[in-house]
Amino acid sequence: MITTVKPRYFNIFHRFTLSLVPGLLIATSLTLVGCTQESQKATNQSAASNVSDTKIKTKVLHMGYQQAGDLIRVTKVLEKRLEPLGVKVEWAQFAQGPQLMEAMNVGKIDLGSVGETPPIFAQAAGAQIVYVVGKQNNGRKSAIAVPPDSPIKSVKDLKGQKVVFQKASASHYFILRALEDAGLKYSDIQVQSIPNVEASSAFLEGKIPVWVTGDPHLARAEKLGKVRILRTAEGLDSPGGYYIAGKQFAIDNPELLRIVIEEMDKIERWAEAHPKETAKLIAPEQKLPPDVMELVISRRGYGLTPISPDLIKKQQRVADYFHQNGLLPKPLNVQEAMLTPEQYAAINPPSISQK
């Protein structure tokens, strides 16, 4: 079952953010099937023979994904792997990371993918979450954009301008870092928080002067000739994104998480090696032309990264940066949203553990 959840703007994370900053492919391609059919069959047979021995406590895995889509959902690899274990997979769609985090906080989803920023604000708001595994992000799919005929020529010209993005999303950290690099402060811009799914049409109609956004919205605007990029997020010190889980769910279901991470890693490796096939799989779901989807796939980051002391240190640096800029009321210890080394060892398959 796929459930589309509309964003609610006066939610716990939105209210939290406002209080800190005033004003705040269902069908699998023949190629994929051909590559994985035999191994999947063997996996399912093995799983079925061990159903009685499984330590999985849940019968339904509630997965959240963002409007930009999710290759894992489209290919149904989780459903194929978990069905023999008696576990169903249900999906819910969200406008962006902050909305996904809110749903996790109230127990509507168990696991979902977000950028580096949403879990920081979620933890600060009291959400009981844990980082499960990291995701690669090269920064190429995010940009500060203006209309083609805009008089704004560089990030330095943003002083005094209205800048639109979703607060507490990855774009929030991006604009902070970009402003700093240009010698500006957060207080130098007029911030308006609007989710990408809503801001997209307004920007294309010329109603938004500066937009901090990402794919697929950015790629669509580029192909329509409606955007000029001031800079991308390449070169910034973002640690990337993460799969985040409800804390108790992660503690109770290490075996399930290990299976899920293993399947995610497999499909990531396949997608990196088959970009055109990947684009064809996702395009119908996104309702985007093939050339737009190919652009999205061409700059997508691939690969999962185990949670390590180095990655925790990088994420802590992001949290500290928000606090230093007055966007968090007190210092945040991201270690409190981490599992123990022993728990990470239990959920990381060999393909991830060896990285």
Side-chain angles (χ1 to χ4, degrees):
M1 181 178 76
I2 301 173
T3 304
T4 300
V5 178
K6 295 181 179 180
R8 294 183 294 158
Y9 306 110
F10 294 98
N11 53 48
I12 182 172
F13 300 118
H14 187 66
R15 289 197 301 270
F16 175 73
T17 307
L18 287 177
S19 70
L20 301 180
V21 185
L24 195 125
L25 290 128
I26 298 216
T28 304
S29 71
L30 292 177
T31 303
L32 178 56
V33 172
C35 291
T36 64
Q37 191 175 52
E38 290 304 316
S39 61
Q40 188 67 59
K41 181 179 178 181
T43 298
N44 288 348
Q45 288 175 343
S46 175
S49 67
N50 291 300
V51 170
S52 60
D53 297 327
T54 184
K55 297 177 183 178
I56 297 174
K57 294 185 178 181
T58 185
K59 295 300 180 184
V60 180
L61 171 62
H62 299 279
M63 292 286 295
Y65 71 104
Q66 296 186 42
Q67 198 272 340
D70 195 303
L71 182 62
I72 311 301
R73 182 183 71 86
V74 171
T75 54
K76 287 188 172 292
V77 292
L78 291 184
E79 286 84 346
K80 295 171 186 175
R81 180 74 182 273
L82 295 175
E83 183 179 4
L85 298 176
V87 179
K88 291 175 58 180
V89 183
E90 295 185 354
W91 294 85
Q93 184 184 52
F94 300 90
Q96 279 182 254
Q99 289 85 354
L100 189 153
M101 287 285 87
E102 185 210 1
M104 184 173 292
N105 183 55
V106 296
K108 290 186 176 179
I109 60 171
D110 304 313
L111 183 67
S113 172
V114 297
E116 80 288 293
T117 302
I120 289 173
F121 280 85
Q123 183 187 351
Q128 295 298 301
I129 58 171
V130 290
Y131 293 76
V132 173
V133 69
K135 292 179 60 183
Q136 298 288 346
N137 179 15
N138 55 30
R140 296 173 56 211
K141 64 180 182 179
S142 301
I144 302 172
V146 296
D149 58 353
S150 171
I152 299 172
K153 302 302 180 184
S154 70
V155 176
K156 290 185 178 181
D157 297 330
L158 295 184
K159 188 170 184 176
Q161 295 291 333
K162 181 174 74 173
V163 180
V164 172
F165 59 91
Q166 165 83 71
K167 288 180 179 178
S169 73
S171 294
H172 207 162
Y173 180 65
F174 173 21
I175 188 65
L176 276 174
R177 290 288 291 105
L179 288 170
E180 181 184 53
D181 283 356
L184 298 178
K185 298 178 181 179
Y186 190 63
S187 58
D188 287 329
I189 63 173
Q190 302 175 42
V191 175
Q192 185 172 2
S193 182
I194 303 177
N196 277 329
V197 67
E198 291 187 10
S200 180
S201 296
F203 180 84
L204 293 176
E205 293 169 4
K207 297 178 180 178
I208 292 177
V210 183
W211 187 26
V212 187
T213 187
D215 286 335
H217 311 282
L218 177 63
R220 177 169 174 256
E222 286 181 87
K223 289 296 184 179
L224 291 173
K226 297 283 189 177
V227 65
R228 176 161 50 82
I229 294 175
L230 296 183
R231 72 158 295 172
T232 68
E234 290 181 273
L236 298 183
D237 56 353
S238 168
Y242 301 91
Y243 275 92
I244 304 293
K247 186 172 184 177
Q248 196 58 50
F249 171 83
I251 292 172
D252 290 344
N253 294 280
E255 185 174 333
L256 175 58
L257 283 178
R258 186 181 182 89
I259 291 171
V260 171
I261 294 172
E262 184 176 71
E263 291 303 319
M264 290 191 299
D265 187 51
K266 286 179 184 177
I267 201 64
E268 284 277 314
R269 293 168 182 264
W270 179 87
E272 186 173 21
H274 302 84
K276 288 189 177 294
E277 291 92 334
T278 301
K280 289 178 181 178
L281 281 170
I282 303 179
E285 291 291 308
Q286 292 292 309
K287 297 180 174 59
L288 291 173
D291 62 333
V292 175
M293 202 66 241
E294 287 183 12
L295 177 58
V296 172
I297 295 301
S298 72
R299 53 196 185 197
R300 180 183 185 272
Y302 291 96
L304 301 180
T305 305
I307 303 297
S308 64
D310 182 59
L311 192 59
I312 295 172
K313 183 178 180 180
K314 290 179 180 179
Q315 185 67 359
Q316 183 64 56
R317 185 173 63 240
V318 177
D320 293 343
Y321 193 75
F322 276 111
H323 177 249
Q324 291 161 9
N325 280 271
L327 298 173
L328 291 177
K330 59 183 180 180
L332 184 75
N333 183 4
V334 300
Q335 182 67 56
E336 294 175 358
M338 302 291 172
L339 295 170
T340 66
E342 294 76 18
Q343 288 170 324
Y344 280 123
I347 69 173
N348 287 338
S351 59
I352 298 296
S353 301
Q354 294 168 4
K355 290 183 179 179

